[in-house]
Amino acid sequence: MMNKKILLSLFSIIVGVIFTFYYLNKENIYAKEEYLVYAFQVGAFNNIDNANKLQETLPSSIIVNKENLNKVYVAIYKDTDIVNKMIVYFENKGINIYLKSIKVDKNFYKELNNYEELINKSTDESIYNKVNQSILNLYLEDFNE
């Protein structure tokens, strides 16, 4: 009888430890891989109408609601050489940007390579808006999932 109580207690402790371990680590098990990239933010507003007004002046831009703010982005890149190139591009257009680090998933991060390659090879600034808009649209798709 005593051995059964000891075995039952031992079994209960082992099951409890397993469930506790699973519960405390389940977020790590299901976490997505995330990567840091640079978002070129031009504004952040509590009021969506103000964000919309700014977006109307910037054809290649998106509004993302993060941390209860409507943030307006005009570009997203990861490679520092491309980031520096685009900083100069936006400064020449008179657009004040604030670089923000944001997290993206692995698929977006990989896709960004293709777009950055286009920017890197091009000296035609008309390409920049098209590439920026494509990246921003892709980001919105991932962000809204």
Side-chain angles (χ1 to χ4, degrees):
M1 182 78 169
M2 185 67 132
N3 284 343
K4 286 184 181 180
K5 286 184 179 180
I6 292 173
L7 285 175
L8 184 58
S9 296
L10 189 58
F11 177 75
S12 297
I13 290 170
I14 291 171
V15 169
V17 167
I18 291 171
F19 279 117
T20 301
F21 179 78
Y22 171 77
Y23 179 76
L24 292 176
N25 290 302
K26 74 178 181 180
E27 288 181 19
N28 293 336
I29 293 170
Y30 298 110
K32 294 195 295 189
E33 263 185 282
E34 293 181 326
Y35 298 84
L36 287 178
V37 296
Y38 299 101
F40 289 62
Q41 183 178 308
V42 291
F45 305 92
N46 289 321
N47 185 323
I48 188 69
D49 293 333
N50 292 336
N52 284 328
K53 285 177 189 172
L54 178 58
Q55 186 184 32
E56 288 172 9
T57 66
L58 303 164
S60 296
S61 63
I62 59 170
I63 299 172
V64 177
N65 189 291
K66 278 184 160 185
E67 301 154 1
N68 294 323
L69 285 173
N70 299 292
K71 298 180 178 189
V72 182
Y73 296 157
V74 292
I76 299 172
Y77 291 101
K78 64 182 179 67
D79 182 90
T80 52
D81 290 336
I82 303 296
V83 168
N84 290 330
K85 184 176 188 175
M86 295 311 293
I87 287 171
V88 170
Y89 168 72
F90 285 113
E91 284 176 352
N92 288 341
K93 293 182 85 62
I95 299 171
N96 295 322
I97 57 158
Y98 306 92
L99 282 184
K100 302 291 182 177
S101 292
I102 60 172
K103 294 178 183 176
V104 297
D105 68 15
K106 186 177 185 176
N107 292 334
F108 180 84
Y109 193 81
K110 282 184 172 182
E111 276 295 316
L112 205 47
N113 286 332
N114 300 327
Y115 291 109
E116 287 185 336
E117 210 172 293
L118 291 171
I119 291 289
N120 203 26
K121 290 179 180 177
S122 178
T123 55
D124 182 2
E125 290 189 354
S126 67
I127 297 293
Y128 297 171
N129 279 339
K130 293 174 187 171
V131 171
N132 283 338
Q133 191 61 56
S134 295
I135 293 169
L136 294 171
N137 290 340
L138 182 65
Y139 176 75
L140 269 183
E141 286 175 20
D142 279 1
F143 183 78
N144 291 327
E145 286 181 359

